[in-house]
Amino acid sequence: MKSHYEVLGVEKTATADEISKAYRRLAMKYHPDRNPNDENAANLFKEATTAYETLNDPVKRKQYDMG
């Protein structure tokens, strides 16, 4: 399973701005409205959203980094 950092394509030292930019790029690419009837794109969108929600919140990110 990929780490949240791998999903978004950022380094572990990425800033909040870099994480946001990476998420926006993936969200535009895999959004279900842009890829109707593509189950894989929907799954990738959900995965990116979960990664972003975790890494964008400083408390959740710290917990994630600690394991």
Side-chain angles (χ1 to χ4, degrees):
M1 184 173 178
K2 289 182 175 180
S3 76
H4 288 332
Y5 295 102
E6 291 173 323
V7 169
L8 295 179
V10 296
E11 298 293 323
K12 197 168 185 176
T13 57
T15 64
D17 188 48
E18 292 170 328
I19 290 169
S20 293
K21 286 179 183 177
Y23 171 69
R24 282 193 302 270
R25 179 180 45 82
L26 292 173
M28 292 296 288
K29 183 176 181 180
Y30 295 120
H31 195 280
D33 289 345
R34 289 185 148 209
N35 300 283
N37 303 319
D38 185 344
E39 189 67 31
N40 187 48
N43 289 334
L44 291 170
F45 178 76
K46 290 175 191 173
E47 192 175 356
T49 300
T50 300
Y52 174 73
E53 289 173 350
T54 300
L55 298 180
N56 193 49
D57 181 319
V59 174
K60 289 181 182 178
R61 184 176 181 176
K62 186 175 181 179
Q63 290 174 338
Y64 178 78
D65 287 344
M66 292 174 63

